[in-house]
Each structure stands twice: as structure tokens, then as C-alpha cells.
Amino acid sequence: MTDRPALRLKQGSSASRVLGIGSTQPDHVVTNDDLSKIMDTTDEWIRERVGIIERRFADKDELLVDMAVTAGARAVADAGLDPSDVDTVILPNCTMLSPIPNAAAQVADRIGVKAAGAFDINAACAGFCYGLAVASDLVRAGSSKRVLVIGAEKLTDVVDPVDRANAIIFADGAGAAVVGPADEAGIGPVCWGSAGDLVDAIYMREHRYIYQEGQSVFRWATTRIAPIAMEALELAGLQPSDVDVLIPHQANLRIVEAIAKRLHARGAREDMVVADDIKYSGNTSSASIPMALDHMREAGTARSGDVVLMVGFGAGLSYAGQAIICP
């Protein structure tokens, strides 16, 4: 026996779910023909290699925080909530030019989420799936009641505008989701990890511009991500045939197609909808998965109640995936 006082723990929800989603993109559309005027490339070359037709670039005075505020506010409204109903904000990103102060606290205040627990996550293109996993666990542990997760990136700040290997791929935008309690699981367990031995595959060169070894990343993603997606399904007690919508990180349309092909070989249905948001949005890193989901729901290709399999992967190399029920 001891006279020491016992610590008391909060009681959370038995399960969590996505309550609402939202996204935003800059107005400035940049086509492949636009890029061909400033670098040695063509529309045909870009479409063939990465599948991108156009992307959005933010103006110089449009900041990452600005886009995060818009996407986050839309997700809160979509959930039918007031900002005061949210108590935690998580902001996955890898392009905030100044790490102090973090983006999350600024965004929370501007949206109207006062006195929020607020922090950024840098898992690059896997960031949204990392953030969603943390949000789900916070709700189930009782540490938070409702969590706003916003993947936001302004990649044009960190990409050499005349670097053909990268400038044709990356773009700007933000996507968000509100996570809250549920009686039945709406967010499955996360399958996550890293391959730190491949740290040189994608990194910030001279603390200014992103560099990536494209072929190495392509080979890794087309062989490793499908098994990770399968593990996420197994953790959630699902089969590939249960998946209605597949949303891999929108890194490269050829990678997306390769992941889908491997899942089809493992039993995914022929009518499984596969995200191809990269065609008109480019690679927006941590924003790509929630932005694709929002666009697909708006288009009617992802519907409320659908089983959605999401898997992100990027610099680190980091990866994460989980199954969710579409709100």
C-alpha cells in the first residue's frame, strides 16, 4: 500500500470518425504550356511522365496560413460545428518558411478556435495521415473532444521555378478534416513507419529548394506502398473488396495507377474509384489526400458512407495509411 495519490485519467470515446471536410486552392491556374515557356518541357512530356495537366500556384502574398484558414473553416462548417466546438488544431506541413511560431496556433486563432491545443507535424506528404491518426487517438483517449486536421502547403516557396524535375510536379493548396467521437469506428488504425536509410531521396537542398531523386522514390513507392495499404486494411478488419474509394498521395499519376493495379491483383473491385486529383491539382504534399477527398465528394465519386482507403508517403521517407468512412 502507498499513501501516494492515484492519478486520474480522462475517459474518451470508444471510437472516432471524420465529421466534415473542406479544401481550398489558389485561383492562379498554371498549365503545362505555361511551364514550357520558361523551361525545356512540353505538355506531352509532362502528361506522359507524371499525368499532370495543370496545377495551382499561390500568389506571392497568399500564405500557407491563409490557405489553411480557408480549408479549416470550411471543414468546421461542413461538420455543422462552430469553431468553439473544436479544441485542438493539428497542421501537417513541410513548407512553413518560419518554424516559429507554428502555423497551427495562428490558424486556430484566425478561425476562432480559442485557447486550442495547436501544433504542426512534419511528415511531408504522409503528414495528413499522420495527423488524422493522432487526432483519432486524442479523441479516443479523451485528451481532445474535436480535432481539426489541416494539411496545407505552399510548395512554390521551396521549389526552383526553372527546375524541370520538380517545378512541373509541385503546387499549392490545403485540405482539412474535423475528427470527433463516434459510437462506431469511422477511422481505422494507422499503419505507419519510416525508411530513414532513404533520407537522401527527398530533402531540402541548401535550406532553400526541394530536391528529390525521382527514380528512387518511384521504385520505392510502386513496390512498398501497396503492402502498406494492405496492412492498413488488415488492421481495420477489411478486405480489398470492401474498399469503395482509394486515395493514395497524389505524387505522380503513374505511382497512383501502380498502387491501384497491385490492389486489384489482391482482390479490389473493378469499380473501386481511384483518386486522380493530381491531373488538375499537381502534387500538394500533405494537402493532397484531404483535397482529393473533398473534390471527389463534391463530384459525387466519393459518397457518404463509402469505405475510403488513404495512404500517404514522402520525404523521410515516411509513410502512413488508414481506412475511414467518408462523412
Side-chain angles (χ1 to χ4, degrees):
M1 297 293 292
T2 176
D3 293 331
R4 292 178 180 174
L7 297 178
R8 182 171 59 193
L9 296 176
K10 287 186 175 181
Q11 295 298 313
S13 173
S14 59
S16 65
R17 67 186 179 100
V18 176
L19 305 176
I21 54 177
S23 69
T24 190
Q25 291 178 280
D27 293 331
H28 182 199
V29 176
V30 179
T31 67
N32 294 338
D33 288 333
D34 292 332
L35 294 179
S36 70
K37 297 173 183 176
I38 60 174
M39 65 184 72
D40 181 18
T41 191
T42 64
D43 176 62
E44 181 182 12
W45 190 90
I46 295 171
R47 291 193 192 212
E48 179 181 333
R49 282 159 180 79
V50 295
I52 298 173
I53 297 170
E54 64 185 36
R55 72 288 288 148
R56 304 289 187 95
F57 286 177
D59 292 335
K60 189 172 183 179
D61 60 352
E62 187 174 7
L63 306 179
L64 181 155
V65 167
D66 299 328
M67 292 185 286
V69 168
T70 301
R74 288 175 176 172
V76 172
D78 185 61
L81 300 173
D82 186 87
S84 62
D85 296 320
V86 176
D87 56 12
T88 307
V89 176
I90 302 173
L91 210 159
N93 78 89
C94 61
T95 54
M96 189 70 175
L97 295 182
S98 174
I100 301 174
N102 68 27
Q106 301 175 62
V107 172
D109 182 71
R110 285 178 53 182
I111 291 176
V113 183
K114 302 301 181 182
F119 57 95
D120 293 7
I121 290 178
N122 183 354
C125 305
F128 179 77
C129 292
Y130 266 69
L132 196 66
V134 172
S136 175
D137 288 350
L138 288 172
V139 169
R140 293 192 301 111
S143 299
S144 302
K145 293 181 180 179
R146 297 179 187 86
V147 184
L148 176 58
V149 183
I150 312 168
E153 305 285 4
K154 188 179 179 185
L155 282 142
T156 49
D157 278 343
V158 296
V159 170
D160 184 343
V162 294
D163 173 10
R164 184 175 73 163
N166 291 300
I168 66 168
I169 299 171
F170 293 112
D172 305 326
V178 179
V179 176
D183 295 327
E184 296 183 0
I187 301 175
V190 68
C191 171
W192 58 8
S194 61
D197 57 315
L198 297 175
V199 65
D200 291 335
I202 309 173
Y203 65 92
M204 193 75 73
R205 177 180 280 172
E206 298 173 353
H207 304 287
R208 185 178 181 187
Y209 290 139
I210 285 180
Y211 166 82
Q212 67 172 335
E213 177 51 57
Q215 288 302 313
S216 296
V217 174
F218 184 90
R219 286 192 298 269
W220 179 83
T222 52
T223 56
R224 288 288 296 125
I225 298 306
I228 292 162
M230 289 294 295
E231 186 175 345
L233 289 176
E234 184 178 351
L235 289 171
L238 299 174
Q239 300 294 325
S241 58
D242 295 320
V243 178
D244 299 302
V245 179
L246 171 66
I247 308 181
H249 163 51
Q250 302 292 285
N252 178 319
L253 187 60
R254 308 305 163 226
I255 294 175
V256 170
E257 292 169 342
I259 295 169
K261 183 177 180 180
R262 287 175 179 264
L263 288 179
H264 281 304
R266 289 163 171 80
R269 304 193 314 268
E270 286 302 315
D271 65 347
M272 178 181 70
V273 180
V274 181
D276 61 358
D277 202 53
I278 189 170
K279 288 182 178 179
Y280 296 99
S281 298
N283 179 343
T284 54
S285 188
S286 66
S288 80
I289 288 176
M291 197 160 67
L293 177 59
D294 193 35
H295 291 166
M296 293 174 77
R297 195 182 62 165
E298 183 179 3
T301 52
R303 297 167 295 183
S304 177
D306 279 353
V307 174
V308 180
L309 175 59
M310 308 185 303
V311 57
F313 50 91
L317 294 173
S318 299
Y319 56 85
Q322 62 266 96
I324 73 164
I325 303 300
C326 184

